[in-house]
Amino acid sequence: MRRKDVLDLDDFTADELREVLETTAAMKEVLARPIRRVPPLRGKTIVNCFYEASTRTRVSFELAAKNLSADVVNITASGSSVEKGETLVDTTRTLQALGADMVIMRHGASGAPYLVARELEASVINAGDGWHAHPTQALLDLFTVQSRLGSIEGRRVAIIGDILHSRVARSATWGFTTLGAQVVLCAPPTLLPIGFADAVNTGLRAKGIVTACPVTVTHDVDEALRDADVVMALRVQRERMDSGLLPSLREYSREWGITRERIAKARFGALVMHPGPMNEGVEISPEVAYGPQSVIEAQVTNGVAVRMAVMYLLAGGRAGPAV
Amino acid sequence: MSNPNNAIRLAGAHGRFLGSLVIRGGRVIDPAQGIDAITDIAIRDGFVEAVGVGADAPPGAQVIDARGLIVTPGFVDLHTHLREPGFEYRETIATGTAAAAAGGFTTVCAMPNTEPAIDTTAVVDFIHDTARRQGSVRVYVIGAITRGRKGKALADLVELANAGVVAYSDDGDCVTDSALMRNALAYSRTTGRPVVQHAEDRALTTGAQMHEGSVSARLGLPGWPRAAEEVIVARDCELAALTGAHLHVAHVSSAGTLDFIRRARSRGVHVTAEVTPHHLTLTDALVGGHWWSATASLPAYDTRTKVNPPLRETPDSLAMAAGLRDGVIDCIATDHAPHGITDKHCEYQAAASGISNLETALGSVLAVVHAGGLTLVEAIAALTIRPARVFGLAAGSLLPGMAGDVTILDPDREWCVDPAQFRSKGRNTPLAGHLLRGQVIQTIVGGEVICDRSA
Ligand SMILES: [Zn+2]
């Protein structure tokens, strides 16, 4: 993979995505060994720079880095210079001076990792920025689907929930469509970003990807589920009611929640995914979340392998079982 | 109380520029007089004495050879943020007017979002005094509509007019309270000064960072919909109709806004409007960066693209040029908004809005001319007599007796925008590194050359 940073999947080619997925499979083999630690990042310093609390993602990156024998430093928003009003630019200068080799960044402002990546010689991996992107989450979703269904091309992926505020939905849409799947985005009109489908469809054409209608949008959950091979539910937060975007969680759950009756409208054996954390009984019912079609737990497990693959490739490693 | 009739034409703010010179052989374009001819201009003791072939040089006066160049009235900017008092790290009256001179502007109107806001005679006097002592060009002052620009209670509008303000604005903020806006418009009739609205329904732009559209959707940045501008302009047009006052719409950005202005005009409502060079020439694709737009020279999320109202889409920018051509938009105004490095060197969402515009305005406007969107004469009119008429300033024309303010330009000279060379303290421009075609060669205020690139 010839790039300095992984900031989103919008600029990934299909070949690059396949390279990550292949390498992830190799990393899964490493994780199945009795001793999980392999040496490729020995002597490298990886800084986990989290401006937003997210134990799950931070721990996943930390485990991935340690499995590759890197030294890991954690900077979190609370109790550090970040909280004392040090600016992102100041922090970037510090990271540069300390000689970090790779920076994993989570930030509440869309685009913040782009600012850091521009100023830093080290590689930057976006671990989630605002509403914008969460590329490693999307990569683990791709890997999970590929390993369960055998292929991604030609599949139909329904993403249902708060698309407007979701970096997961944005990156997943780029990832699935770049590999030739169709994505249907479904939400109440107040939670759909105007123009996003156009943006992706235009962007895919610019990349030379010519799937018919790669991204479509609907407010009708039954339509979204029809013939879906993958159903991804997104978290809906209580604040959306306070800001007037939703009348109530009860109404949301009744109209858009993924229940057993609804999932029956998808293709037989369709996979159920959720990036977590879940609001059980709101966007997804417990019997679906923990039912036979759910791959939610596998998503978490695959997260470590995907992040190992991304770090390994960014550090100059090559695809395949070379580890 | 001042009389609206004699308030319409104000004298120049200064008696400092009293030079004499002759400009020979240039193509003089003065839309106010319908002149477009190769001819000469004589300026004596600060004022235009004659325009015509062989116009006489006062004895000993400097002679400027303008052959091959275009000679126009000095440009007039109705919308300039000079930042002083209060934000001198961004700009001062001295640096802002030097930037104006470098960009061919000989008259600027200072916006009142300073600290303190321009809502008392004392602040108006301070700006007039400082401009007289340190300014390179003529400075008029725009007073606040509301006390402290807080949008709660009217400022002393008559007192401000008596101190010399040429218009009222809370620019940077919108007067959102409909009753207060009605009252401001109604009360402004006592002085005849226009009320300049920054049209933005804040309830629709909470957290907004850029134009709401496919680029904002992709970048995950909260969007600023066109409707937030349109609903305020629609409302204000009705309030101007109700009160009979003069409404001036600042920095129009949305094509739809023009329909509301056009409709109000056709009913005889006194509404005028301005457009910025960036809304004429740039679009939101620039925020998405190289990958997004083959023509973008900036990376994604570059804060130099952040401006309020935001850069919109191609149909909007084309509508702005069409609006200037058909007169729905009266003039070009820069909305020159200089910022310090730290205001922009941060996350997009934390960055200040605004573009340092005075020194690139002509190049941007001429890009529209070169692309066939405006004629050269229309562009010059939109920078000179048309803005002067909106605020009733005695400027923007080379009629004998007018101030000897002249801009000499080469519409074809190419130059690369290097913000490090700006006279403005604000280096914040998305045009950094861009090649512009068209440059100011000399700027003359009251017969004195204050900017000279002729060497
Ligand atoms: Zn404004």
Side-chain angles (χ1 to χ4, degrees):
Chain A
M1 196 162 64
R2 288 192 171 183
R3 54 171 65 236
K4 176 172 129 357
D5 312 299
V6 173
L7 302 176
D8 191 5
L9 299 188
D10 61 356
D11 60 349
F12 268 67
T13 62
D15 283 343
E16 281 181 299
L17 291 176
R18 284 188 208 105
E19 189 182 14
V20 176
L21 300 184
E22 252 175 68
T23 311
T24 304
M27 295 301 169
K28 287 261 307 193
E29 282 170 38
V30 169
L31 291 176
R33 294 176 194 167
I35 297 169
R36 295 167 161 205
R37 192 161 288 212
V38 286
L41 298 189
R42 179 166 297 150
K44 304 266 186 202
T45 303
I46 294 186
V47 180
N48 252 333
C49 198
F50 274 58
Y51 282 78
E52 264 184 359
S54 169
T55 311
R56 290 158 49 108
T57 307
R58 187 178 56 72
V59 167
S60 178
F61 272 107
E62 188 168 347
L63 282 175
K66 286 184 169 159
N67 289 342
L68 295 171
S69 305
D71 298 318
V72 182
V73 179
N74 285 306
I75 300 177
T76 48
S78 53
S80 73
S81 52
V82 171
E83 207 173 48
K84 290 175 211 140
E86 187 179 278
T87 67
L88 187 55
V89 172
D90 294 335
T91 307
T92 307
R93 288 199 187 105
T94 309
L95 293 171
Q96 182 74 35
L98 291 174
D101 295 293
M102 211 175 275
V103 173
I104 317 297
M105 166 152 280
R106 161 69 63 95
H107 201 286
S110 298
Y114 288 69
L115 171 67
V116 174
R118 278 206 295 276
E119 316 234 336
L120 211 55
E121 282 163 44
S123 287
V124 175
I125 300 175
N126 182 1
D129 63 324
W131 305 349
H132 170 241
H134 195 351
T136 58
Q137 174 72 38
L139 288 165
L140 73 87
D141 293 340
L142 294 178
F143 182 81
T144 305
V145 170
Q146 170 141 307
S147 44
R148 292 299 173 111
L149 299 182
S151 67
I152 289 172
E153 192 174 345
R155 299 289 180 183
R156 186 172 153 88
V157 180
I159 304 180
I160 299 161
D162 183 356
I163 313 280
L164 177 64
H165 301 94
S166 176
R167 52 193 169 217
V168 174
R170 283 181 177 77
S171 285
T173 301
W174 283 109
F176 279 110
T177 54
T178 299
L179 286 176
Q182 286 188 324
V183 170
V184 51
L185 302 171
C186 177
T190 47
L191 295 179
L192 276 170
I194 293 166
F196 182 63
D198 280 351
V200 180
N201 290 335
T202 310
L204 290 172
R205 275 198 300 278
K207 286 206 243 181
I209 294 162
V210 288
T211 319
C213 311
V215 186
T216 50
V217 170
T218 179
H219 311 138
D220 178 348
V221 72
D222 293 335
E223 191 190 316
L225 289 170
R226 191 181 312 129
D227 297 329
D229 299 291
V230 176
V231 177
M232 185 189 295
L234 300 175
R235 180 179 172 80
V236 172
Q237 288 174 305
R238 194 162 286 278
E239 298 108 82
R240 305 306 170 218
M241 294 183 301
D242 304 333
S243 50
L245 293 166
L246 280 181
S248 70
L249 292 185
R250 206 170 70 108
E251 174 153 309
Y252 179 85
S253 144
R254 211 165 35 214
E255 298 300 316
W256 286 278
I258 304 306
T259 58
R260 202 161 47 184
E261 299 75 57
R262 284 220 167 101
I263 204 75
K265 293 179 177 143
R267 194 156 284 174
F268 180 74
L271 304 180
V272 172
M273 311 182 88
H274 193 297
M278 282 186 282
N279 281 322
E280 286 168 27
V282 181
E283 71 267 6
I284 191 165
S285 69
E287 75 257 29
V288 174
Y290 301 106
Q293 290 167 266
S294 169
V295 293
I296 295 171
E297 214 164 293
Q299 286 178 275
V300 179
T301 316
N302 291 337
V304 177
V306 155
R307 287 167 182 129
M308 286 170 72
V310 169
M311 290 176 186
Y312 171 74
L313 291 171
L314 276 183
R318 271 174 299 169
V323 188
Chain B
M1 194 181 292
S2 55
N3 174 348
N5 291 325
N6 59 31
I8 290 170
R9 288 174 70 87
L10 293 163
H14 312 285
R16 201 176 101 209
F17 304 102
L18 298 171
S20 298
L21 49 75
V22 161
I23 305 161
R24 292 218 185 276
R27 175 181 165 196
V28 175
I29 299 179
D30 182 6
Q33 301 183 71
I35 295 176
D36 180 357
I38 306 236
T39 188
D40 307 328
I41 297 170
I43 295 169
R44 185 191 287 268
D45 301 332
F47 293 87
V48 178
E49 188 175 59
V51 179
V53 176
D56 249 350
Q62 185 185 351
V63 177
I64 293 173
D65 179 3
R67 282 176 298 174
L69 301 174
I70 291 179
V71 179
T72 75
F75 301 160
V76 176
D77 188 15
L78 300 186
H79 194 139
T80 317
H81 295 279
L82 292 179
R83 304 298 192 204
E84 188 178 355
F87 303 98
E88 290 81 357
Y89 77 99
R90 291 174 167 172
E91 194 79 288
T92 63
I93 291 167
T95 60
T97 55
F105 291 87
T106 56
T107 299
V108 298
C109 299
M111 274 293 178
N113 59 337
T114 49
E115 184 56 50
I118 307 177
D119 63 352
T120 59
T121 299
V123 188
V124 177
D125 290 348
F126 166 80
I127 292 166
H128 282 150
D129 285 349
T130 310
R132 201 166 293 131
R133 284 183 288 106
Q134 300 171 11
S136 302
V137 304
R138 302 177 200 278
V139 177
Y140 289 92
V141 179
I142 299 171
I145 300 171
T146 67
R147 195 159 293 146
R149 296 177 52 258
K150 298 211 187 306
K152 298 276 187 252
L154 292 183
D156 290 331
L157 301 184
V158 172
E159 182 187 310
L160 286 169
N162 289 339
V165 307
V166 294
Y168 307 110
S169 183
D170 275 4
D171 185 60
D173 284 309
C174 179
V175 180
T176 46
D177 182 318
S178 304
L180 189 63
M181 188 60 183
R182 175 196 178 163
N183 293 336
L185 285 162
Y187 201 87
S188 74
R189 297 200 61 191
T190 56
T191 66
R193 306 292 194 277
V195 175
V196 182
Q197 177 71 295
H198 167 116
E200 176 183 0
D201 185 338
R202 291 275 179 184
L204 288 170
T205 63
T206 308
Q209 302 297 317
M210 65 174 295
H211 170 63
E212 182 177 281
S214 63
V215 183
S216 69
R218 171 178 154 249
L219 295 179
L221 289 173
W224 201 127
R226 293 184 183 91
E229 174 175 293
E230 292 159 3
V231 295
I232 294 294
V233 172
R235 178 200 75 176
D236 288 354
C237 284
E238 292 308 311
L239 295 176
L242 180 67
T243 55
H246 177 184
L247 169 71
H248 180 69
V249 183
H251 43 53
V252 175
S253 68
S254 161
T257 296
L258 301 183
D259 297 332
F260 290 105
I261 296 172
R262 197 176 281 118
R263 183 169 160 270
R265 286 258 183 90
S266 72
R267 292 154 59 208
V269 181
H270 193 182
V271 188
T272 53
E274 70 191 29
V275 64
T276 67
H278 47 277
H279 290 112
L280 273 171
T281 53
L282 305 178
T283 67
D284 64 342
L286 212 55
V287 193
H290 313 291
W291 185 89
W292 187 250
S293 156
T295 57
S297 59
L298 302 174
Y301 296 101
D302 193 303
T303 57
R304 288 172 291 185
T305 61
K306 185 170 172 182
V307 64
N308 187 3
L311 303 177
R312 299 212 184 266
E313 299 178 38
T314 304
D316 299 285
S317 57
L318 292 176
M320 296 307 131
L324 275 174
R325 279 199 306 273
D326 69 20
V328 178
I329 299 176
D330 294 82
C331 63
I332 292 161
T334 68
D335 193 6
H336 175 72
H339 285 291
I341 289 169
T342 52
D343 297 322
K344 288 283 192 180
H345 195 193
C346 56
E347 300 89 320
Y348 206 87
Q349 278 161 306
S353 292
I355 295 174
S356 180
N357 238 342
L358 282 168
E359 292 167 77
T360 55
L362 176 67
S364 293
V365 173
L366 287 178
V368 182
V369 173
H370 295 313
L374 284 174
T375 66
L376 183 60
V377 174
E378 285 167 338
I380 300 299
L383 287 164
T384 58
I385 188 61
R386 284 166 65 173
R389 279 189 188 138
V390 169
F391 281 4
L393 309 177
S397 164
L398 298 170
L399 203 66
M402 295 285 284
D405 299 352
V406 181
T407 298
I408 303 177
L409 58 98
D410 180 343
D412 294 312
R413 186 193 277 199
E414 289 194 334
W415 60 290
C416 184
V417 178
D418 176 7
Q421 306 295 320
F422 278 5
R423 267 65 153 198
S424 170
K425 287 190 181 184
R427 306 289 154 89
N428 48 301
T429 172
L431 298 177
H434 252 71
L435 203 62
L436 291 180
R437 189 173 145 211
Q439 175 67 298
V440 172
I441 306 300
Q442 279 171 316
T443 307
I444 295 160
V445 177
E448 292 176 20
V449 178
I450 49 165
C451 168
D452 196 345
R453 292 192 185 91
S454 62

